[in-house]
Amino acid sequence: MKLILLGAPGAGKGTQAEVISDALKIPQISTGNILREAVKNGTDFGLKAKEAMDAGKLVSDEIVIGILKDRIAESDCENGYILDGFPRTVPQAEALSAMGISIDKVLEVYVSDEKIESRLSGRRVCESCGASYHIEFKPSKVDGVCDKCDGKTIIRKDDSPEVVKDRLKTYHDQTAPLKDYYGKLGKLETVIGQDEVADTTKLVLKAVGVNG
Ligand code: ADP
Ligand code: ZN
């Protein structure tokens, strides 16, 4: 199964992608996590990506398409995958299609801009493995420590209120048109993000055909 998770920053697509990944035993591919890792390691494209990411803008299509191509060529992707944060522009979607990849379903997790602004202010991410938490809605067991790898959880630089506004604008301008793109292909299904993560998860699993 090949799935795309679509949603504004902070709508919870990463969290839901993790759940689907566990349920269907297919890898979650997060271009955001791959890019942050590259920035941390100071690789060539990490340096190029950093400026755009810190400003809440998109990294160039060329770079992310290259990253994605390499990642899906790995052996764990043979039985499918969940794309979390890719495609984010129509040209990226066209690139997938040009690679001959047929997507089974595009799941949109919808949350209003207003809610997103409050959610992102409480978000924490693990600096080692990228797992995502929220101080109120999804706290780690020990404050400041990742449940999965004992890494340190930190506030992402682009979760500051000013950058969040820019990220939302970028989403509406460049990514939201994908709803139309995949809607026309009959692949789009929208799930309304609930206040409780577990409630959203139920809807998401149902949408991908897993009875929880
Ligand atoms: P979020 O969805 O919460 O904004 P991500 O972790 O998915 O966060 O992405 C963080 C940043 O990485 C984005 O703001 C953007 O700069 C960059 N990025 C991630 N995926 C893509 C992509 N497919 N195309 C362009 N830029 C991307
Ligand atoms: Zn971790």
Side-chain angles (χ1 to χ4, degrees), residues 126 129 146 149:
C126 172
C129 78
C146 177
C149 77

Side-chain angles (χ1 to χ4, degrees), residues 126-131 133 146-152:
C126 172
E127 64 175 0
S128 305
C129 78
Y133 301 92
C146 177
D147 292 349
K148 296 194 170 158
C149 77
D150 285 340
K152 191 172 151 204

Side-chain angles (χ1 to χ4, degrees), residues 153-164:
T153 65
I154 55 163
I155 301 176
R156 252 168 63 174
K157 207 170 184 175
D158 58 352
D159 279 347
S160 72
E162 315 80 68
V163 180
V164 166

